[in-house]
Amino acid sequence: MDYAAARQHMIDSQIKTNKVTDPSVIEALAALPREAFVAEAQRKLAYIDRPVAIGAGRRMTEPMVLARLLQSAHLKGGETVLVVGAGTGYSAAILSRLVKKVVALESAPELADRAKAILAQLGVSNVAVVAGDLGAGRPADGPYDFILVDGAAEIVPDALTAQLADRGRLAVVIKDQGIVGRGTILTKADGVVTPRAVFDADAEVLPGFTRPQRFVF
């Protein structure tokens, strides 16, 4: 399979046609081999416009959703970033080309190990992969100018927004118990977090980001 051609087709048919115009985001997507971040048996699916299984019951976010979230964050290049639910490291690798430093948090040890190996193989040097509870974030390396929740959430834990720097942004797909969600940017200013829905989107809800069930009597 010609992965370079598939990558260009993804950009032409999925990215540029869905209001992604930021040249830095497009260049990062064009430069990185998305197929390297999935298992060999899944590589032919690496560039489809749907989430792709990466193991541990998880899926890699659709390229268009990732691109629009990153574009909506208006990154300048000097940011310190946290990726929550980094999986095998694709979104962290994209961000490595857009910002100064990336902390990639992953709760599944096998995915974290694969992310470390893939990023090392690609020569990505400004991403630190760490294992831990996704909902708790990584306060030791914060505060963060930008947090990407690489997946969907029914709720965004306060622990994550607490790790945003003032004027920091958090990007996530917000879903309401299985209904197709909205790509959303949360901005923190003077301790107040304000959400702004940007576009319709779908993604897999990350472990620990579901709304608690309510019992009805």
Side-chain angles (χ1 to χ4, degrees):
M1 181 172 175
D2 187 343
Y3 291 113
R7 192 176 312 124
Q8 187 60 52
H9 181 70
M10 174 193 76
I11 290 168
D12 292 339
S13 64
Q14 299 176 39
I15 305 304
K16 291 182 178 179
T17 58
N18 279 286
K19 301 181 181 180
V20 179
T21 58
D22 186 326
S24 61
V25 173
I26 294 172
E27 287 168 10
L29 291 166
L32 282 165
R34 185 173 166 89
E35 71 275 9
F37 295 86
V38 300
E40 187 170 353
Q42 296 289 101
R43 288 186 175 178
K44 290 184 178 181
L45 304 176
Y47 294 99
I48 64 174
D49 57 351
R50 296 190 301 275
V52 178
I54 55 174
R58 298 271 293 283
R59 295 179 183 272
M60 185 186 295
T61 302
E62 179 185 340
M64 179 277 291
V65 174
L66 174 63
R68 291 204 64 181
L69 287 174
L70 297 182
Q71 175 173 268
S72 299
H74 301 296
L75 299 168
K76 303 299 183 184
E79 293 92 348
T80 296
V81 171
L82 174 67
V83 177
V84 176
T88 54
Y90 179 70
S91 60
I94 295 293
L95 277 161
S96 76
R97 293 175 168 265
L98 304 176
V99 302
K100 181 179 180 181
K101 175 185 176 182
V102 182
V103 178
L105 176 65
E106 177 49 53
S107 58
E110 61 268 43
L111 297 183
D113 289 343
R114 283 171 57 195
K116 290 176 184 178
I118 295 166
L119 293 170
Q121 185 178 17
L122 294 176
V124 178
S125 60
N126 62 336
V127 176
V129 180
V130 296
D133 175 48
L134 302 183
R138 179 75 174 182
D141 294 307
Y144 302 99
D145 304 298
F146 176 57
I147 296 176
L148 171 68
V149 177
D150 193 5
E154 293 177 355
I155 57 170
V156 177
D158 291 340
L160 291 184
T161 54
Q163 292 167 45
L164 283 173
D166 191 52
R167 305 293 173 182
R169 289 91 65 210
L170 183 150
V172 60
V173 174
I174 299 291
K175 296 181 75 171
D176 186 6
Q177 298 186 358
I179 298 173
V180 173
R182 298 277 284 167
T184 303
I185 302 295
L186 288 75
T187 303
K188 185 176 182 179
D190 299 324
V192 177
V193 177
T194 304
R196 176 174 63 91
V198 182
F199 61 102
D200 290 339
D202 196 15
E204 297 285 318
V205 177
L206 289 174
F209 286 74
T210 54
R211 190 181 305 278
Q213 294 291 327
R214 294 182 178 180
F215 292 98
V216 178
F217 296 97

PDB file of all heavy atoms in Angstrom, residues 78-99:
ATOM      1  N   GLY A  78       5.140  27.993  21.598  1.00  0.00           N
ATOM      2  CA  GLY A  78       5.954  27.938  22.806  1.00  0.00           C
ATOM      3  C   GLY A  78       5.278  27.246  23.971  1.00  0.00           C
ATOM      4  O   GLY A  78       5.774  27.302  25.109  1.00  0.00           O
ATOM      5  N   GLU A  79       4.168  26.567  23.720  1.00  0.00           N
ATOM      6  CA  GLU A  79       3.352  26.020  24.800  1.00  0.00           C
ATOM      7  C   GLU A  79       3.923  24.738  25.402  1.00  0.00           C
ATOM      8  O   GLU A  79       4.617  23.961  24.741  1.00  0.00           O
ATOM      9  CB  GLU A  79       1.929  25.712  24.296  1.00  0.00           C
ATOM     10  CG  GLU A  79       1.118  26.935  23.923  1.00  0.00           C
ATOM     11  CD  GLU A  79       1.239  27.321  22.471  1.00  0.00           C
ATOM     12  OE1 GLU A  79       2.147  26.775  21.774  1.00  0.00           O
ATOM     13  OE2 GLU A  79       0.457  28.174  22.010  1.00  0.00           O
ATOM     14  N   THR A  80       3.560  24.535  26.676  1.00  0.00           N
ATOM     15  CA  THR A  80       3.720  23.248  27.350  1.00  0.00           C
ATOM     16  C   THR A  80       2.358  22.578  27.353  1.00  0.00           C
ATOM     17  O   THR A  80       1.370  23.174  27.779  1.00  0.00           O
ATOM     18  CB  THR A  80       4.220  23.431  28.790  1.00  0.00           C
ATOM     19  OG1 THR A  80       5.536  24.013  28.761  1.00  0.00           O
ATOM     20  CG2 THR A  80       4.285  22.092  29.519  1.00  0.00           C
ATOM     21  N   VAL A  81       2.303  21.328  26.856  1.00  0.00           N
ATOM     22  CA  VAL A  81       1.034  20.676  26.550  1.00  0.00           C
ATOM     23  C   VAL A  81       0.943  19.325  27.250  1.00  0.00           C
ATOM     24  O   VAL A  81       1.932  18.593  27.362  1.00  0.00           O
ATOM     25  CB  VAL A  81       0.896  20.487  25.024  1.00  0.00           C
ATOM     26  CG1 VAL A  81      -0.304  19.629  24.681  1.00  0.00           C
ATOM     27  CG2 VAL A  81       0.786  21.847  24.334  1.00  0.00           C
ATOM     28  N   LEU A  82      -0.275  18.997  27.692  1.00  0.00           N
ATOM     29  CA  LEU A  82      -0.579  17.670  28.220  1.00  0.00           C
ATOM     30  C   LEU A  82      -1.560  16.988  27.285  1.00  0.00           C
ATOM     31  O   LEU A  82      -2.594  17.563  26.940  1.00  0.00           O
ATOM     32  CB  LEU A  82      -1.192  17.781  29.617  1.00  0.00           C
ATOM     33  CG  LEU A  82      -1.696  16.472  30.252  1.00  0.00           C
ATOM     34  CD1 LEU A  82      -0.538  15.527  30.546  1.00  0.00           C
ATOM     35  CD2 LEU A  82      -2.499  16.761  31.517  1.00  0.00           C
ATOM     36  N   VAL A  83      -1.233  15.758  26.869  1.00  0.00           N
ATOM     37  CA  VAL A  83      -2.166  14.923  26.114  1.00  0.00           C
ATOM     38  C   VAL A  83      -2.702  13.865  27.066  1.00  0.00           C
ATOM     39  O   VAL A  83      -1.932  13.087  27.632  1.00  0.00           O
ATOM     40  CB  VAL A  83      -1.497  14.248  24.910  1.00  0.00           C
ATOM     41  CG1 VAL A  83      -2.494  13.325  24.196  1.00  0.00           C
ATOM     42  CG2 VAL A  83      -0.954  15.290  23.938  1.00  0.00           C
ATOM     43  N   VAL A  84      -3.995  13.839  27.249  1.00  0.00           N
ATOM     44  CA  VAL A  84      -4.649  12.879  28.140  1.00  0.00           C
ATOM     45  C   VAL A  84      -5.259  11.765  27.286  1.00  0.00           C
ATOM     46  O   VAL A  84      -6.085  12.032  26.410  1.00  0.00           O
ATOM     47  CB  VAL A  84      -5.752  13.562  28.972  1.00  0.00           C
ATOM     48  CG1 VAL A  84      -6.490  12.544  29.832  1.00  0.00           C
ATOM     49  CG2 VAL A  84      -5.149  14.664  29.833  1.00  0.00           C
ATOM     50  N   GLY A  85      -4.839  10.527  27.529  1.00  0.00           N
ATOM     51  CA  GLY A  85      -5.268   9.417  26.692  1.00  0.00           C
ATOM     52  C   GLY A  85      -4.436   9.358  25.433  1.00  0.00           C
ATOM     53  O   GLY A  85      -4.964   9.275  24.322  1.00  0.00           O
ATOM     54  N   ALA A  86      -3.115   9.365  25.598  1.00  0.00           N
ATOM     55  CA  ALA A  86      -2.195   9.488  24.464  1.00  0.00           C
ATOM     56  C   ALA A  86      -2.172   8.260  23.570  1.00  0.00           C
ATOM     57  O   ALA A  86      -1.682   8.339  22.442  1.00  0.00           O
ATOM     58  CB  ALA A  86      -0.784   9.789  24.974  1.00  0.00           C
ATOM     59  N   GLY A  87      -2.680   7.123  24.039  1.00  0.00           N
ATOM     60  CA  GLY A  87      -2.682   5.922  23.212  1.00  0.00           C
ATOM     61  C   GLY A  87      -1.289   5.534  22.783  1.00  0.00           C
ATOM     62  O   GLY A  87      -0.361   5.455  23.596  1.00  0.00           O
ATOM     63  N   THR A  88      -1.099   5.330  21.488  1.00  0.00           N
ATOM     64  CA  THR A  88       0.222   4.957  20.972  1.00  0.00           C
ATOM     65  C   THR A  88       1.051   6.171  20.557  1.00  0.00           C
ATOM     66  O   THR A  88       2.130   6.014  19.991  1.00  0.00           O
ATOM     67  CB  THR A  88       0.073   4.007  19.771  1.00  0.00           C
ATOM     68  OG1 THR A  88      -0.779   4.606  18.795  1.00  0.00           O
ATOM     69  CG2 THR A  88      -0.506   2.665  20.203  1.00  0.00           C
ATOM     70  N   GLY A  89       0.555   7.386  20.837  1.00  0.00           N
ATOM     71  CA  GLY A  89       1.386   8.570  20.698  1.00  0.00           C
ATOM     72  C   GLY A  89       1.184   9.428  19.470  1.00  0.00           C
ATOM     73  O   GLY A  89       1.915  10.410  19.273  1.00  0.00           O
ATOM     74  N   TYR A  90       0.178   9.123  18.639  1.00  0.00           N
ATOM     75  CA  TYR A  90       0.031   9.883  17.393  1.00  0.00           C
ATOM     76  C   TYR A  90      -0.252  11.362  17.643  1.00  0.00           C
ATOM     77  O   TYR A  90       0.418  12.232  17.080  1.00  0.00           O
ATOM     78  CB  TYR A  90      -1.070   9.278  16.525  1.00  0.00           C
ATOM     79  CG  TYR A  90      -1.304  10.021  15.229  1.00  0.00           C
ATOM     80  CD1 TYR A  90      -0.360   9.989  14.211  1.00  0.00           C
ATOM     81  CD2 TYR A  90      -2.474  10.746  15.012  1.00  0.00           C
ATOM     82  CE1 TYR A  90      -0.571  10.667  13.017  1.00  0.00           C
ATOM     83  CE2 TYR A  90      -2.704  11.420  13.823  1.00  0.00           C
ATOM     84  CZ  TYR A  90      -1.743  11.374  12.832  1.00  0.00           C
ATOM     85  OH  TYR A  90      -1.953  12.049  11.650  1.00  0.00           O
ATOM     86  N   SER A  91      -1.238  11.670  18.463  1.00  0.00           N
ATOM     87  CA  SER A  91      -1.572  13.081  18.703  1.00  0.00           C
ATOM     88  C   SER A  91      -0.412  13.818  19.364  1.00  0.00           C
ATOM     89  O   SER A  91      -0.170  14.992  19.080  1.00  0.00           O
ATOM     90  CB  SER A  91      -2.841  13.202  19.551  1.00  0.00           C
ATOM     91  OG  SER A  91      -2.673  12.566  20.803  1.00  0.00           O
ATOM     92  N   ALA A  92       0.311  13.122  20.240  1.00  0.00           N
ATOM     93  CA  ALA A  92       1.477  13.742  20.873  1.00  0.00           C
ATOM     94  C   ALA A  92       2.559  14.042  19.843  1.00  0.00           C
ATOM     95  O   ALA A  92       3.231  15.081  19.907  1.00  0.00           O
ATOM     96  CB  ALA A  92       2.024  12.828  21.965  1.00  0.00           C
ATOM     97  N   ALA A  93       2.720  13.138  18.878  1.00  0.00           N
ATOM     98  CA  ALA A  93       3.707  13.370  17.825  1.00  0.00           C
ATOM     99  C   ALA A  93       3.320  14.562  16.957  1.00  0.00           C
ATOM    100  O   ALA A  93       4.176  15.375  16.576  1.00  0.00           O
ATOM    101  CB  ALA A  93       3.850  12.114  16.967  1.00  0.00           C
ATOM    102  N   ILE A  94       2.019  14.670  16.634  1.00  0.00           N
ATOM    103  CA  ILE A  94       1.559  15.840  15.882  1.00  0.00           C
ATOM    104  C   ILE A  94       1.848  17.116  16.667  1.00  0.00           C
ATOM    105  O   ILE A  94       2.394  18.095  16.133  1.00  0.00           O
ATOM    106  CB  ILE A  94       0.052  15.731  15.583  1.00  0.00           C
ATOM    107  CG1 ILE A  94      -0.249  14.545  14.652  1.00  0.00           C
ATOM    108  CG2 ILE A  94      -0.481  17.037  14.986  1.00  0.00           C
ATOM    109  CD1 ILE A  94       0.280  14.678  13.258  1.00  0.00           C
ATOM    110  N   LEU A  95       1.505  17.101  17.943  1.00  0.00           N
ATOM    111  CA  LEU A  95       1.734  18.288  18.777  1.00  0.00           C
ATOM    112  C   LEU A  95       3.213  18.607  18.944  1.00  0.00           C
ATOM    113  O   LEU A  95       3.575  19.770  19.133  1.00  0.00           O
ATOM    114  CB  LEU A  95       1.076  18.090  20.146  1.00  0.00           C
ATOM    115  CG  LEU A  95      -0.418  18.408  20.191  1.00  0.00           C
ATOM    116  CD1 LEU A  95      -1.085  17.760  21.393  1.00  0.00           C
ATOM    117  CD2 LEU A  95      -0.635  19.916  20.216  1.00  0.00           C
ATOM    118  N   SER A  96       4.071  17.610  18.872  1.00  0.00           N
ATOM    119  CA  SER A  96       5.511  17.855  19.020  1.00  0.00           C
ATOM    120  C   SER A  96       6.027  18.808  17.955  1.00  0.00           C
ATOM    121  O   SER A  96       7.057  19.468  18.155  1.00  0.00           O
ATOM    122  CB  SER A  96       6.279  16.530  18.965  1.00  0.00           C
ATOM    123  OG  SER A  96       6.381  16.036  17.630  1.00  0.00           O
ATOM    124  N   ARG A  97       5.325  18.886  16.839  1.00  0.00           N
ATOM    125  CA  ARG A  97       5.716  19.778  15.753  1.00  0.00           C
ATOM    126  C   ARG A  97       5.081  21.167  15.874  1.00  0.00           C
ATOM    127  O   ARG A  97       5.405  22.056  15.092  1.00  0.00           O
ATOM    128  CB  ARG A  97       5.326  19.154  14.402  1.00  0.00           C
ATOM    129  CG  ARG A  97       6.136  17.904  14.087  1.00  0.00           C
ATOM    130  CD  ARG A  97       5.654  17.228  12.811  1.00  0.00           C
ATOM    131  NE  ARG A  97       6.614  16.223  12.392  1.00  0.00           N
ATOM    132  CZ  ARG A  97       7.600  16.425  11.505  1.00  0.00           C
ATOM    133  NH1 ARG A  97       7.713  17.603  10.926  1.00  0.00           N
ATOM    134  NH2 ARG A  97       8.443  15.467  11.202  1.00  0.00           N
ATOM    135  N   LEU A  98       4.166  21.305  16.837  1.00  0.00           N
ATOM    136  CA  LEU A  98       3.414  22.556  16.963  1.00  0.00           C
ATOM    137  C   LEU A  98       3.758  23.343  18.216  1.00  0.00           C
ATOM    138  O   LEU A  98       3.451  24.536  18.279  1.00  0.00           O
ATOM    139  CB  LEU A  98       1.909  22.251  16.964  1.00  0.00           C
ATOM    140  CG  LEU A  98       1.352  21.468  15.770  1.00  0.00           C
ATOM    141  CD1 LEU A  98      -0.125  21.168  15.989  1.00  0.00           C
ATOM    142  CD2 LEU A  98       1.551  22.245  14.480  1.00  0.00           C
ATOM    143  N   VAL A  99       4.335  22.677  19.235  1.00  0.00           N
ATOM    144  CA  VAL A  99       4.561  23.322  20.532  1.00  0.00           C
ATOM    145  C   VAL A  99       5.974  23.007  21.040  1.00  0.00           C
ATOM    146  O   VAL A  99       6.722  22.251  20.411  1.00  0.00           O
ATOM    147  CB  VAL A  99       3.517  22.864  21.571  1.00  0.00           C
ATOM    148  CG1 VAL A  99       2.104  23.179  21.095  1.00  0.00           C
ATOM    149  CG2 VAL A  99       3.658  21.383  21.883  1.00  0.00           C
TER     150      VAL A  99
END
